[in-house]
Amino acid sequence: MKPNLWIVIFLFVSSLSFSQDKKAKELLDEVTAKVKSYDNIVIDFKYTLQNTKENINQESKGSVTLKGNLYYLNFMGVTKIFDGKKTYTIVPEDEEITISKVDEKDENAITPSKMLTFFNSGYKYYMDIVQDVKGRKIQYIKLVPISSKDERKEILLGIDIQTKHIYNLIEIGKKGTKTTLVVNSFKTNQPISKNQFIFDQSKYKNYYINRID
């Protein structure tokens, strides 16, 4: 009795997908382990927002220093500091500071410290293409949000095969918006100040303080 052709094709595709998922999971686990092995990480990045239909093309640069769940972020003229308990959002243009508490148990709370490990839950993942970028082999993994309410159609995560560091991240929205984050510089175990993640209110005497509990 000959096997049904469609069953054979289905089994082949299913086994291939499982193999790809397993490889993607192994690579993502390596990235996570690498991130957690560092005492601190300092990243300079470029951020691009595009939407052809609405004629939007914005580009900006930023930097972030990470140490465990603590972070110091500079992006689009705004500074954000998280000291482990509260987030301080400093907006020099408006001379305003917002102080808010962060629920660390909230898995949906997006913070810079989760940017390098966000993919560990809430996504299906598949191995994608490999690109040669200035002599570096970048392996892309396609992440598809599990929740149907997610506004993102898919995410492409580019990983440097040699260093296991994230090179870039491309988010494609369901409404045509594309955001790209490219890591220009990835430094680890840097000498940073003990006060790096401490908010010093004395530096902002004329600022309006907005406290949100």
Side-chain angles (χ1 to χ4, degrees):
M1 182 178 178
K2 292 183 179 181
N4 185 290
L5 178 61
W6 294 111
I7 293 178
V8 174
I9 293 174
F10 172 76
L11 291 174
F12 173 75
V13 172
S14 297
S15 63
L16 180 61
S17 296
F18 176 78
S19 175
Q20 288 177 330
D21 289 354
K22 185 178 179 181
K23 288 181 180 179
K25 175 70 167 119
E26 288 174 352
L27 183 54
L28 292 176
D29 285 346
E30 285 186 82
V31 172
T32 301
K34 206 69 180 291
V35 168
K36 292 183 177 180
S37 72
Y38 299 126
D39 179 63
N40 63 66
I41 300 172
V42 180
I43 296 173
D44 289 330
F45 60 87
K46 181 176 73 173
Y47 178 86
T48 306
L49 172 64
Q50 297 174 312
N51 189 311
T52 306
K53 292 181 180 179
E54 298 182 15
N55 196 29
I56 297 175
N57 191 356
Q58 300 175 350
E59 185 176 301
S60 54
K61 294 182 179 180
S63 64
V64 60
T65 300
L66 306 166
K67 183 179 174 66
N69 67 335
L70 309 179
Y71 63 81
Y72 186 101
L73 171 70
N74 280 313
F75 183 55
M76 298 183 75
V78 176
T79 297
K80 271 196 171 189
I81 304 171
F82 178 57
D83 62 6
K85 295 181 179 180
K86 296 181 179 181
T87 300
Y88 303 84
T89 304
I90 306 164
V91 187
E93 185 177 354
D94 300 330
E95 292 192 342
E96 182 174 327
I97 297 170
T98 300
I99 303 175
S100 57
K101 292 182 180 179
V102 175
D103 183 2
E104 286 297 296
K105 296 180 181 179
D106 183 5
E107 295 182 355
N108 295 318
I110 303 299
T111 65
S113 55
K114 292 181 181 180
M115 287 174 63
L116 300 177
T117 55
F118 74 93
F119 43 76
N120 284 317
S121 63
Y123 301 90
K124 295 178 182 179
Y125 31 77
Y126 312 91
M127 294 294 275
D128 207 87
I129 63 171
V130 177
Q131 283 188 340
D132 192 321
V133 181
K134 298 179 181 178
R136 300 164 65 186
K137 293 292 184 183
I138 306 299
Q139 170 68 63
Y140 283 91
I141 292 180
K142 181 184 291 186
L143 304 167
V144 180
I146 294 174
S147 174
S148 58
K149 296 180 181 180
D150 201 304
E151 293 299 319
R152 298 166 299 177
K153 180 181 178 182
E154 63 186 33
I155 301 168
L156 288 172
L157 186 67
I159 300 169
D160 187 314
I161 294 177
Q162 183 177 358
T163 64
K164 301 301 186 296
H165 293 164
I166 293 175
Y167 166 70
N168 68 346
L169 183 150
I170 304 169
E171 286 188 356
I172 301 172
K174 293 177 179 178
K175 296 182 180 180
T177 299
K178 178 182 177 182
T179 58
T180 305
L181 188 149
V182 178
V183 175
N184 293 323
S185 173
F186 192 107
K187 298 178 181 179
T188 61
N189 301 334
Q190 297 296 295
I192 59 176
S193 169
K194 293 180 180 179
N195 300 322
Q196 180 76 42
F197 309 103
I198 297 176
F199 172 69
D200 185 355
Q201 190 170 332
S202 66
K203 294 180 179 179
Y204 309 96
K205 293 181 179 179
N206 298 321
Y207 280 55
Y208 171 75
I209 306 294
N210 181 26
R211 299 180 185 274
I212 302 175
D213 294 327

